[in-house]
Amino acid sequence: MNPEASSEAYHPRPSFRKSVILSTVIVVVLWVGLTAAWNTRKVQLRMKCLANLQKIGTALSTYASQHNEAAPSLNGLRQLGLLDQAHLVCPSAKQPNYILVRHSQGEARQGEGILVFEPLSNHGQGANILFVNGTCKFVPKEQLPERQMYSVSSE
């Protein structure tokens, strides 16, 4: 029996170790890359949702200025041609579930409060909100007023 052949059988070759290390590095890089891509996709969906809320805010303002009264439902705005069906659908929800909050004329003139919001189920870690003053923003779950309100879905 050749002593050199038996010693090779017990010790892995350096190229095998390099292959294992390289494979491990590739798996880690892929995992980090896929995680980053997933987080980017979630942010893109939230931004599209904010754009929808801005369009809804414009439609509500247009209706109020033309009719001098509070707007009908969000679906009513769609039927009047002020909104497209796509603007009523959060891309994370795949179905219309934005919720219009009714305000008295005095509250609407003050420009405070929530005008349209979405359920927490759309984005999980918070909700996009359209305020009466026309601003839209993503509010983290911990900062939401009356959190139970965001766990319902509507229209």
Side-chain angles (χ1 to χ4, degrees), residues 17-92:
R17 287 183 189 155
K18 288 179 184 176
S19 297
V20 170
I21 291 171
L22 182 61
S23 297
T24 304
V25 168
I26 289 171
V27 167
V28 169
V29 168
L30 284 173
W31 180 75
V32 168
L34 290 174
T35 302
W38 175 255
N39 288 336
T40 301
R41 176 74 177 140
K42 289 186 341 186
V43 170
Q44 288 174 342
L45 293 175
R46 281 197 332 225
M47 297 305 290
K48 173 77 170 104
C49 181
L50 279 172
N52 285 347
L53 287 177
Q54 289 174 337
K55 181 66 176 172
I56 290 170
T58 301
L60 289 167
S61 177
T62 300
Y63 182 89
S65 68
Q66 291 174 353
H67 297 91
N68 201 23
E69 62 185 43
S73 67
L74 296 177
N75 197 37
L77 291 172
R78 184 191 58 78
Q79 290 171 351
L80 292 169
L82 294 172
L83 288 173
D84 293 334
Q85 179 66 23
H87 296 122
L88 299 177
V89 180
C90 172
S92 295

